[in-house]
Amino acid sequence: MLLGALETGGTKMVCALGNEKGEVFERESYPTRDPGSTFADVISFFQGRGIEALGVSCFGPVDLNEDSPTYGYITNTPKPGWSHVSVRGRLMEALGVPVGFDTDVNGAALGEAEMGAGKGLGSLVYYTIGTGLGGGFYYRGTLLHGLVHPEMGHMLMRPHPKDPAPHGFCPFHDGCLEGMACGKAMQQRWGVPAHELPPDHIAWEIEAEYLAQMCANTTVILSPERIVLGGGVMHQEHLFPMVRKRTLELLNNYVSHPAILEHIDTYIVPPGLGNNSGAVGSLLLAVRALG
């Protein structure tokens, strides 16, 4: 079957065509502008292509309560112009197909759990460390929702003693994970994009500290079988061994399981699907919408 996939992001919208096997046939991206212009781009990509359903992995916060009058809306986002915007309903009306809808990180978690780094496992947490920072939790076929949905990027951090910006840059919270460790925070702290910093810069020691606190917190709270770290910041391959080493130090042998004590290299891993985690997950959301 032919399915549509949409990853909505604060900087770009990624549209793709694929199938229920997670195979991506075609992909195009558009800048995230005002809602009217952006939806026009997205709808023009999918319209007339014969898709049977669309899966949307959406930046947030979003309303995932199916009984809510604003189900499928973006809610109080810091993205200018995008608060209280209907995403799911607008696309259903324009395209006339079922639309599966979840957070961007839950969509990527679904893709990685069923077809990527977590294939064959019962649980997985996926984090994206990019312009922003968020996480999604997959457990035995289910994506975790709650009162609203998890906002893992806003867990509170202990500042690194050498951090020149120990309060971070989140407009809502003093010292939260996103405000300390996302790509935008790194650029604000050091004055250049993260990828321009040399591997021996103190920035990476500080970044590894916050990501290790994140992984340690995740391990003791959710006990997933695997933690996947994606997003642009994690393209710096030297960061993975630093995060794994510091996570072990923070856990201090408390979680006594070989997957962590002996196999940390396969416990904290990059995405198995590369840059396609969100696209594949969105295709799987489309399959669920048909179900």
Side-chain angles (χ1 to χ4, degrees):
M1 67 179 70
L2 186 64
L3 302 168
L6 171 63
E7 299 172 75
T8 81
T11 56
K12 65 180 179 179
M13 300 275 170
V14 179
C15 302
L17 299 175
N19 63 19
E20 72 280 7
K21 298 176 183 178
E23 297 170 333
V24 177
F25 305 141
E26 185 179 339
R27 182 183 178 119
E28 187 64 68
S29 64
Y30 303 95
T32 303
R33 300 176 285 162
D34 63 279
S37 303
T38 305
F39 279 115
D41 289 337
V42 169
I43 291 165
S44 68
F45 177 86
F46 292 113
Q47 213 154 34
R49 308 299 292 275
I51 61 172
E52 296 182 45
L54 174 67
V56 180
S57 299
C58 188
F59 75 89
V62 294
D63 186 348
L64 297 177
N65 179 1
E66 295 184 12
D67 297 323
S68 168
T70 56
Y71 171 52
Y73 277 56
I74 295 172
T75 58
N76 293 316
T77 180
K79 177 70 176 173
W82 283 84
S83 290
H84 312 295
V85 169
S86 173
V87 176
R88 179 177 179 271
R90 194 164 183 167
L91 293 170
M92 284 184 69
E93 181 179 357
L95 300 174
V97 297
V99 175
F101 184 81
D102 214 308
T103 65
D104 50 358
V105 282
N106 263 354
L110 178 61
E112 285 296 324
E114 297 197 350
M115 296 189 171
K119 190 174 182 179
L121 300 179
S123 61
L124 172 147
V125 170
Y126 174 93
Y127 282 102
T128 184
I129 302 100
T131 304
L133 200 161
F137 183 39
Y138 172 99
Y139 180 75
R140 297 185 180 180
T142 300
L143 294 167
L144 180 64
H145 302 161
L147 183 65
V148 283
H149 55 77
E151 286 284 4
M152 299 181 194
H154 293 269
M155 69 176 79
L156 301 181
M157 299 276 103
R158 295 184 301 192
H160 189 288
K162 298 178 184 177
D163 190 345
H167 299 286
F169 301 93
C170 176
F172 298 98
H173 307 119
D174 184 345
C176 77
L177 174 61
E178 181 173 81
M180 303 292 261
C182 72
K184 185 177 179 182
M186 292 191 74
Q187 181 164 351
Q188 287 176 280
R189 182 183 284 110
W190 304 110
V192 296
H195 68 267
E196 295 183 12
L197 296 167
D200 59 352
H201 196 287
I202 186 63
W204 299 112
E205 177 186 326
I206 294 172
E207 182 72 2
E209 172 65 27
Y210 297 136
L211 298 184
Q213 288 185 40
M214 173 190 80
C215 289
N217 290 342
T218 301
T219 299
V220 297
I221 294 171
L222 296 174
S223 196
E225 293 168 70
R226 189 151 294 157
I227 298 174
V228 180
L229 306 183
V233 172
M234 298 312 301
H235 291 168
Q236 308 298 314
E237 294 182 2
H238 63 278
L239 195 50
F240 272 96
M242 298 171 71
V243 172
R244 292 171 181 138
K245 179 176 183 291
R246 184 58 180 148
T247 300
L248 286 173
E249 292 171 354
L250 291 170
L251 290 172
N252 197 28
N253 296 320
Y254 181 73
V255 182
S256 183
H257 193 286
I260 294 171
L261 298 179
E262 300 172 19
H263 303 290
I264 193 71
D265 288 357
T266 55
Y267 181 68
I268 300 172
V269 299
L273 298 171
N275 292 327
N276 278 329
S277 305
V280 172
S282 298
L283 291 172
L284 297 178
L285 288 174
V287 173
R288 293 185 173 203
L290 285 170

